[in-house]
Amino acid sequence: MEFLTEYGYIGVFIASFLAATILPFSSEVVLTGVILGGGSYWQCIIAATAGNFLGGMTCYLIGMLGKVEWITKYLRMDINKLERIRNWIKNKGAWIGFFVFLPGVGDFIAVGLGFMRANIWMVAIYMLLGKALRYWVLMEIVMAGIGS
């Protein structure tokens, strides 16, 4: 991670992108390292949010590759129930994209939204808001720690 810290905002972007995919990665460490190295508050937030957002949308697109047949075959889920859930999420569930920032489950939420064909534009808006809020809060915590 020190390697990415040396690349400044590009390192923050890459770390944030990787952290938003199914790879276990911590963007917080790189972000904090760049800030402690004199990085700009807003440029760090923008780089982290952009990378994490694009990583989340990549998970969404991976989910779109999924097939209903796989779920019914391997998870033995009733096709009618799956279609009811899918229709609800497609029409009203895009707001769940806000919670893609959550550690541990966010990647699965993004993949699930893609699989369920939630409105990509609404998912993108909610996901961007959630991820921006996450990095803003994180930066406030880091800055408070630096100030003490």
Side-chain angles (χ1 to χ4, degrees), residues 13-50:
F13 177 88
I14 292 168
S16 299
F17 180 87
L18 293 174
T21 63
I22 56 174
L23 299 173
F25 205 83
S26 175
S27 62
E28 292 84 358
V29 173
V30 176
L31 179 64
T32 302
V34 171
I35 280 293
L36 292 175
S40 162
Y41 178 92
W42 286 108
Q43 287 178 328
C44 280
I45 289 178
I46 290 168
T49 300

Side-chain angles (χ1 to χ4, degrees), residues 44-129:
C44 280
I45 289 178
I46 290 168
T49 300
N52 213 247
F53 168 73
L54 291 174
M57 289 306 293
T58 300
C59 286
Y60 176 93
L61 294 173
I62 289 170
M64 288 187 74
L65 298 174
K67 299 193 181 315
V68 172
E69 298 81 35
W70 297 345
I71 301 297
T72 57
K73 180 179 179 182
Y74 297 112
L75 298 180
R76 303 204 189 282
M77 189 170 190
D78 176 47
I79 187 77
N80 294 325
K81 185 175 184 179
L82 180 60
E83 284 303 320
R84 278 195 310 273
I85 294 168
R86 199 173 199 189
N87 286 332
W88 184 85
I89 288 178
K90 182 190 266 186
N91 296 322
K92 299 176 187 150
W95 61 269
I96 298 169
F98 178 83
F99 298 100
V100 171
F101 75 88
L102 293 172
V105 297
D107 303 336
F108 299 108
I109 293 171
V111 170
L113 287 168
F115 175 77
M116 296 293 186
R117 309 297 193 267
N119 182 307
I120 191 169
W121 301 110
M122 295 307 296
V123 168
I125 291 168
Y126 284 115
M127 187 184 299
L128 184 62
L129 290 172

Side-chain angles (χ1 to χ4, degrees), residues 1-12 29-30 33-34 37:
M1 292 201 212
E2 186 177 317
F3 168 75
L4 287 173
T5 303
E6 294 173 11
Y7 283 97
Y9 307 120
I10 293 171
V12 169
V29 173
V30 176
V34 171

